[in-house]
Amino acid sequence: MVRRTGRRPGNPDTRESILSAARGAFAEKGFDGASIRAIATSAGVDPALVHHYFGSKDKLFLASMNSPIDPVDIIVEATAGERDEIGARFVRAFLQMWDGPRGSAAVALLRSVVGTEWTAKLFREFILTQILRRAVPRLDLDPAEAHLRVTLAGSHLVGLALARYVIKVEPLASAPPETLVAAIGPTLQRYLTEELPGVFPQV
Amino acid sequence: MVRRTGRRPGNPDTRESILSAARGAFAEKGFDGASIRAIATSAGVDPALVHHYFGSKDKLFLASMNSPIDPVDIIVEATAGERDEIGARFVRAFLQMWDGPRGSAAVALLRSVVGTEWTAKLFREFILTQILRRAVPRLDLDPAEAHLRVTLAGSHLVGLALARYVIKVEPLASAPPETLVAAIGPTLQRYLTEELPGVFPQV
């Protein structure tokens, strides 16, 4: 058997038992409360092995959720151009992920999230620690406004994913990506960077 | 035992077996393909009894999905004022439904929709027949644009419901309704009634 390079070393059973222990710990104690040490103990392995397999706690969390993306990647892509194109770039990067090879994993994740209270809690931790805490600072927003701005944008994108890829509502399901960029891009632009009277106190 | 008036007459077992037969028929054959007659036969009752219990096929469908609302009601409310307030009125009516006594049924519906391919299919039929076919004509939109406009708005609202009521992401989950009306109202206004360059061909 040919071994693939780097990414998934070691015994697949060990890897799976670490992921299973991580899922339980993150759901029960939250991201901050779950320690690599306790996860390792629960999986019956040495903590060094957890670091060796997954690198950081963030990466272990993303792997335990089967997340097809690291949200930081999408934000890096969205912020790589002009600031007044951030909305369009966001929608485009998001659709590319769902339309690409990682799309089916994303559908599975979204289905599982909504299915039970348990996974909803995990997803809440995902949004808080991976999106709001790690990714959002890169958007360079007013900290007092950043979380509401980003969750407004995020709620729209999650609804789009649900309608287009899970429920498959037409004509949304078959609309060309650039049509959706033209429709939804300005919305995200407004949520992220424009004045929102009635939402935040006016200066 | 005191009988409630009108709404749920007859034997609860009969009612439940009609609903169960309806769910199966709507999922398998779609709204148009499922006949009251076939549903009655499958439930072992007379078709007249189905009409007696549920009124129309639309109402039977809403009941079989445990839909907490009739989408026509929300559209009637949203269109009851000025046309340039339709976005704000939509968001307000939507939040009132989710924040009200019917909210928990709505959460249950949304969870079940995403859970399996089977219920996703039922929900697709719900959107097509109950929202696009029955409710949308009341919005008085260009028929060539109506379905994309409404599904854009709808995808945002479903995402909001998922984030606020199912996943409970802060600060969205605790935001006052009027904050969300101020944030999201203009988006729906644009999707429903304004020009959308790059989405529809310009006249």
Side-chain angles (χ1 to χ4, degrees), chain A residues 55-90:
Chain A
S56 65
K57 190 170 167 186
D58 284 314
K59 295 290 178 196
L60 173 61
F61 184 54
L62 292 172
S64 78
M65 291 202 61
N66 291 314
S67 175
I69 53 144
D70 184 333
V72 169
D73 294 341
I74 285 199
I75 295 215
V76 165
E77 206 169 315
T79 53
E82 296 297 319
R83 192 154 178 87
D84 61 0
E85 286 171 8
I86 208 171
R89 295 180 67 93
F90 236 113

Side-chain angles (χ1 to χ4, degrees), chain A residues 88-147:
Chain A
R89 295 180 67 93
F90 236 113
V91 179
R92 202 173 287 125
F94 186 80
L95 291 174
Q96 268 163 8
M97 191 273 293
W98 287 84
D99 286 327
R102 293 171 295 179
S104 60
V107 168
L109 176 61
L110 190 51
R111 275 195 194 285
S112 75
V113 162
V114 184
T116 68
E117 186 56 46
W118 193 84
T119 50
K121 188 162 183 294
L122 261 186
F123 202 62
R124 229 159 27 231
E125 286 293 307
F126 175 82
I127 291 164
L128 180 64
T129 66
Q130 304 304 303
I131 299 182
L132 296 178
R133 198 187 290 170
R134 275 181 72 223
V136 164
R138 293 165 187 265
L139 288 172
D140 194 26
L141 302 172
D142 178 343
E145 302 183 347
H147 285 195

Side-chain angles (χ1 to χ4, degrees), chain B residues 98-121:
Chain B
W98 286 83
D99 286 328
R102 292 171 296 178
S104 60
V107 169
L109 176 61
L110 190 52
R111 275 194 193 286
S112 74
V113 162
V114 184
T116 67
E117 186 55 46
W118 194 83
T119 50
K121 189 163 182 294

Side-chain angles (χ1 to χ4, degrees), chain B residues 31-63:
Chain B
F31 180 83
D32 292 331
S35 73
I36 297 271
R37 176 166 299 274
I39 290 167
T41 303
S42 154
V45 304
D46 190 274
L49 205 61
V50 178
H51 283 290
H52 174 68
Y53 277 15
F54 296 98
S56 65
K57 189 170 167 186
D58 284 315
K59 295 290 177 196
L60 173 61
F61 184 54
L62 292 171

Side-chain angles (χ1 to χ4, degrees), chain A residues 111 114 124 156 167 187 191, chain B residues 111 114 124 167 187 191:
Chain A
R111 275 195 194 285
V114 184
R124 229 159 27 231
H156 196 348
I167 307 174
T187 304
Y191 288 164
Chain B
R111 275 194 193 286
V114 184
R124 224 154 37 226
I167 307 174
T187 304
Y191 288 164

